[in-house]
Amino acid sequence: MSRSERSPLLLAGLLATAGVAHFATPRPFDATIPSDLPGTPRAWTYASGAAELALAAGLALPRTRKAAALATAAFFVGVFPANVKMAADWRHRPTPQKAAAFGRLPLQVPLVLWARGVARNAEGRS
């Protein structure tokens, strides 16, 4: 299996793992939900987890891969405010936790680019 064939499956695996984590241990995710959003943090945590699972399924299927990859790129942009909130909330924690929270912020860029690359590679396929 080539790298371009593995890439969407690896991205799907990352999203599926994160999606399951939102349901298995929702409390840490609840804490990252910006308070300005309507509804409860738990509802947003579950909605985000469900979205990640749906995106993973879409990425795994060649027929829906391009659309799912573009939606994944948008999703990564959309959850960025939660990552910013987490970094702000964790700014007084011990250095390793603070570094992890702030380190996540620039990682959104390669995740968006990865999803866009999967979409680009899926263009010629049906």
Side-chain angles (χ1 to χ4, degrees), residues 27-57:
R27 189 174 299 165
F29 297 100
D30 293 347
T32 69
I33 305 300
S35 59
D36 294 345
L37 291 175
T40 66
R42 183 62 50 92
W44 284 99
T45 294
Y46 287 158
S48 178
E52 287 169 324
L53 292 171
L55 291 168

Side-chain angles (χ1 to χ4, degrees), residues 22-90:
H22 278 71
F23 289 96
T25 58
R27 189 174 299 165
F29 297 100
D30 293 347
T32 69
I33 305 300
S35 59
D36 294 345
L37 291 175
T40 66
R42 183 62 50 92
W44 284 99
T45 294
Y46 287 158
S48 178
E52 287 169 324
L53 292 171
L55 291 168
L59 288 166
L61 300 171
R63 204 171 88 225
T64 56
R65 186 166 292 152
K66 181 180 178 185
L70 292 172
T72 297
F75 177 82
F76 286 144
V77 171
V79 299
F80 187 72
N83 292 340
V84 170
K85 181 182 182 309
M86 179 181 176
D89 290 348
W90 286 27

Side-chain angles (χ1 to χ4, degrees), residues 6-17:
R6 280 192 319 265
S7 184
L9 300 179
L10 291 171
L11 184 55
L14 174 77
L15 285 163
T17 300

